Amino acid sequence: MYDIEQIRRDFPILSVSINGHPNTFLDTAASAQKPQCVIDAVSQTYANSYANVHRGAYYLSEEMTVKYEQARAKVRKFLNAASEHEIVFTRNATEALNLVAYSWGRKFLKPGDEVLISQAEHHANLIPWQILRDEIGIKLQIFKIADDGSYVADEFLGLLSEKTKLVSVTAMSNVLGTVFPIADMVKAAHRVGALFMVDACQYAAHRKIDVQDWDCDFLAFSGHKTYGPSGIGVLYGKMSLLEQMPPYQVGGDMVDTVSYDHTTYALPPARFEAGTPAMVDAIGLGVALDYLQNLGWDNLCAHEEELIAYTNAKLQEIPGLKIIGTAADKGGVFSFDLNGIHAQDVAFILDKEGVAVRTGHHCAEPLIKRMGYTSLARASLGLYTSHQDIDRFVNALQKTQSFF
Amino acid sequence: MQIDELIENFELLEDWEDKYRYLIDLGAKLPPLPQELQSEEWKVSGCQSQVWLVPEVVMENGQKLLDFKGSSDAAIVKGIVAVVLSIFAHKTPAEIKEIAVENIFAKLGLSEHLSPSRRNGLSAMTDKIRYYAEVL
Ligand SMILES: Cc1ncc(COP(=O)(O)O)c(C=O)c1O
């Protein structure tokens, strides 16, 4: 049972009025709103149990350390990782992707090696590999997607070879919504001896992840997109890989012994968490993941699936509206072109009606170009999105058309 | 159109919808900017949409005056460009420096209608115009 009205009441910001209208927040793919329990966890931690972690031999520091590590345990459970030691806290998914490129990439990639990504990647899963290409002389291979945004197995398999050392692909596109068949892709990558990194930024907020089932080697997601605080993200890595990787940043809290001559580094995950971490945000993330899972994946997925179908049907009724990205398996992401009206004009008018959509290149400029645009408007759904939100969105789109 | 006339016209419009429709209309009536001027060289960075401003120096009675042509690929911003062009039309560099654009937009009743990103676009435009006034 999924009581949408009850759920919406958990998110205080949804009752804030925007330009005199109800808050129709359709930008969850950029960052999700926070339930009261997350807001409370963050403020209560500061109010009642704040101190630095892993340092002080005193009550508050101990308590904070326990809570921080409990948050790690919650992330382990959320991903079904084999061990908590495989969960590295980062600032966001971008940092997790950069960490792998910097630490694993610089150590293990040699000139001529290939990294394979899709055409649908966010800049965060493109630029780190471009830098390795320019610095190390690896080859960056990019497999094509279909015009409707679908995954094309032959395109992927066609570029996968013995030279491929790493495949790094988004599980759900932030522009097209396309869901990639990660489990199959991982199997194919492993057959040629390549590792597989999943950018689960979008996927993590919408569908259940099981890293052991996928058998992926690395995975990244951001707390702020999974209804948790900003400033916290996660890198999952198989222990056998993390162990071999050098630190990404160095400083306090990540060393074993230090002398002026030599430093030995702590085991993962501490090795990759130099300096004081975003510990309060990590605690908030743990609460957010509990909240998400307590809704029940089946309930959540059923709600979102139904709403996606509803949105699709409603949008298709609007003459002149074209949805960009219509793969059969897609998440609640609707990039669209409305009668060729500039995305920014659309967004300005929607905003006046209290409807929030994102515009621009969505940090995926080559993908937007590939789809034939320079800028797109995008509406994205979340666990709190209601039919009324979609109705208000559609009305606002019709109003927008009346201006042109 | 003179800026005073624009202010009068805007004063007659009551709600944001009418103002936006009028803005879009103003943009649509701008003389088309030749394709070759819609280039990187004349692009104003810091706007969400593409905006171009092209300065032109005219000498009148030994005095240097600036005029601008401009456009945008977005309709509402193009209207804003039209307003900005009216504000800065045929002014000396010293006058350009003095003009308080924010105040004029307040008078137009547009400032409360300008979202932060648009306001950035506006300030990017005026910064660019002031830059040209200084270097040309
Ligand atoms: C698919 C995808 N990857 C990576 C990112 C980067 O996330 P963050 O900015 O939280 O690091 C995003 C965020 O927009 C995304 O949608």
Side-chain angles (χ1 to χ4, degrees):
Chain A
M1 173 55 194
Y2 198 84
D3 185 347
I4 186 72
E5 284 315 314
Q6 178 69 39
I7 287 164
R8 285 177 69 82
R9 279 194 287 275
D10 293 338
F11 292 79
I13 206 163
L14 297 180
S15 49
V16 170
S17 112
I18 307 289
N19 287 327
H21 294 276
N23 183 0
T24 305
F25 186 76
L26 297 177
D27 197 21
T28 295
S31 202
Q33 299 298 351
K34 318 305 171 198
Q36 189 65 50
C37 58
V38 169
I39 299 166
D40 288 346
V42 169
S43 61
Q44 279 165 18
T45 302
Y46 281 122
N48 303 324
S49 54
Y50 183 81
N52 209 333
V53 288
H54 299 149
R55 305 221 166 136
Y58 56 89
Y59 179 82
L60 283 179
S61 176
E62 284 297 326
E63 185 173 87
M64 191 70 182
T65 305
V66 167
K67 284 189 168 177
Y68 180 63
E69 293 305 325
Q70 274 170 353
R72 197 189 303 281
K74 287 177 184 191
V75 175
R76 185 209 67 74
K77 182 169 148 263
F78 181 72
L79 298 177
N80 191 34
S83 152
E84 278 142 36
H85 301 300
E86 298 179 322
I87 307 299
V88 179
F89 281 123
T90 60
R91 277 187 302 134
N92 46 37
T94 301
E95 190 178 41
L97 286 152
N98 275 273
L99 196 164
V100 172
Y102 188 96
S103 168
W104 178 85
R106 275 181 176 71
K107 181 161 175 193
F108 291 103
L109 291 176
K110 289 186 265 321
D113 286 348
E114 296 184 2
V115 169
L116 177 57
I117 64 173
S118 84
Q119 259 183 342
E121 300 311 317
H122 187 278
H123 293 166
N125 192 23
L126 164 63
I127 306 172
W129 314 118
Q130 276 180 340
I131 289 180
L132 290 186
R133 178 196 65 196
D134 298 343
E135 282 187 11
I136 301 179
I138 62 160
K139 189 160 176 193
L140 179 58
Q141 294 277 28
I142 300 166
F143 69 91
K144 295 199 174 89
I145 53 166
D147 289 342
D148 67 353
S150 318
Y151 165 74
V152 183
D154 285 346
E155 296 286 356
F156 169 61
L157 297 172
L159 286 181
L160 193 64
S161 77
E162 247 78 78
K163 288 193 196 138
T164 315
K165 294 295 175 269
L166 177 76
V167 177
S168 191
V169 172
T170 184
M172 184 186 285
S173 160
N174 62 314
V175 176
L176 309 167
T178 310
V179 172
F180 286 78
I182 297 297
D184 292 348
M185 295 173 77
V186 171
K187 278 198 198 87
H190 284 172
R191 272 201 293 274
V192 299
L195 298 182
F196 202 106
M197 173 146 201
V198 181
D199 174 357
C201 245
Q202 295 297 334
Y203 194 97
H206 302 286
R207 297 193 191 180
K208 183 169 169 45
I209 292 175
D210 184 329
V211 289
Q212 297 191 73
D213 183 42
W214 275 351
D215 196 26
C216 56
D217 301 285
F218 298 107
L219 177 142
F221 76 93
S222 283
H224 70 93
K225 291 188 203 270
T226 50
Y227 309 95
S230 57
I232 188 77
V234 170
L235 169 68
Y236 158 80
K238 280 184 185 160
M239 195 57 187
S240 53
L241 293 165
L242 292 178
E243 268 171 355
Q244 299 177 58
M245 287 160 50
Y248 163 61
Q249 291 178 331
V250 290
D253 224 20
M254 47 77 68
V255 289
D256 185 14
T257 62
V258 183
S259 71
Y260 284 116
D261 294 327
H262 190 66
T263 298
T264 55
Y265 299 111
L267 290 172
R271 184 185 298 169
F272 304 105
E273 293 182 2
T276 299
M279 49 216 177
V280 179
D281 302 317
I283 292 166
L285 173 61
V287 173
L289 298 182
D290 282 344
Y291 178 87
L292 195 51
Q293 292 167 107
N294 287 342
L295 294 173
W297 282 112
D298 290 347
N299 298 331
L300 175 58
C301 288
H303 169 73
E304 291 197 356
E305 229 168 84
E306 196 276 322
L307 201 62
I308 288 168
Y310 184 76
T311 309
N312 248 324
K314 283 280 175 184
L315 290 181
Q316 272 160 17
E317 281 170 20
I318 302 179
L321 187 139
K322 180 163 185 248
I323 299 171
I324 314 302
T326 52
D329 191 5
K330 72 172 273 183
V333 175
F334 295 89
S335 290
F336 62 93
D337 175 51
L338 185 68
N339 303 93
I341 302 166
H342 196 289
Q344 196 185 28
D345 290 324
V346 175
F348 283 168
I349 294 171
L350 293 186
D351 177 51
K352 284 292 180 193
E353 297 288 303
V355 179
V357 296
R358 167 120 195 238
T359 60
H361 54 54
H362 309 278
C363 301
E365 215 175 321
L367 172 61
I368 303 290
K369 274 217 188 88
R370 185 253 171 271
M371 301 310 284
Y373 295 87
T374 52
S375 172
L376 279 174
R378 175 193 72 188
S380 54
L381 317 182
L383 65 84
Y384 38 63
T385 310
S386 66
H387 291 78
Q388 287 91 324
D389 282 328
I390 302 305
D391 293 344
R392 285 193 293 261
F393 172 46
V394 167
N395 288 339
L397 286 171
Q398 280 159 344
K399 183 160 202 169
T400 305
Q401 287 179 313
S402 79
F403 278 75
F404 295 91
Chain B
M1 202 183 300
Q2 293 292 315
I3 186 66
D4 295 343
E5 201 183 327
L6 264 187
I7 293 173
E8 274 174 32
N9 289 352
F10 268 101
E11 272 169 358
L12 298 174
L13 304 171
E14 284 192 352
D15 56 14
W16 71 267
E17 289 185 40
D18 289 342
K19 284 184 174 157
Y20 272 30
R21 286 181 208 281
Y22 186 51
L23 259 186
I24 291 169
D25 204 38
L26 286 175
K29 288 189 181 128
L30 268 184
L33 188 66
Q35 204 59 42
E36 68 271 17
L37 294 177
Q38 298 181 24
S39 64
E40 278 306 311
E41 184 175 7
W42 305 113
K43 207 182 235 179
V44 180
S45 54
C47 304
Q48 258 201 40
S49 46
Q50 303 192 78
V51 172
W52 303 272
L53 284 173
V54 185
E56 190 187 353
V57 180
V58 282
M59 295 302 286
E60 250 177 46
N61 309 324
Q63 204 179 30
K64 187 162 78 175
L65 296 172
L66 267 75
D67 271 315
F68 294 90
K69 294 197 269 285
S71 191
S72 168
D73 61 344
I76 296 169
V77 172
K78 197 168 171 189
I80 303 279
V81 170
V83 174
V84 167
L85 296 187
S86 299
I87 294 174
F88 289 101
H90 223 58
K91 296 276 187 292
T92 67
E95 284 168 331
I96 286 175
K97 259 192 206 153
E98 293 302 306
I99 294 173
V101 183
E102 292 282 331
N103 292 350
I104 297 174
F105 270 78
K107 270 196 211 152
L108 292 170
L110 281 176
S111 61
E112 81 272 20
H113 292 295
L114 295 177
S115 73
S117 67
R118 255 169 306 175
R119 214 176 280 141
N120 291 340
L122 180 60
S123 63
M125 286 181 227
T126 55
D127 286 353
K128 195 77 191 257
I129 286 176
R130 296 213 166 95
Y131 163 81
Y132 286 131
E134 209 144 283
V135 299
L136 290 178

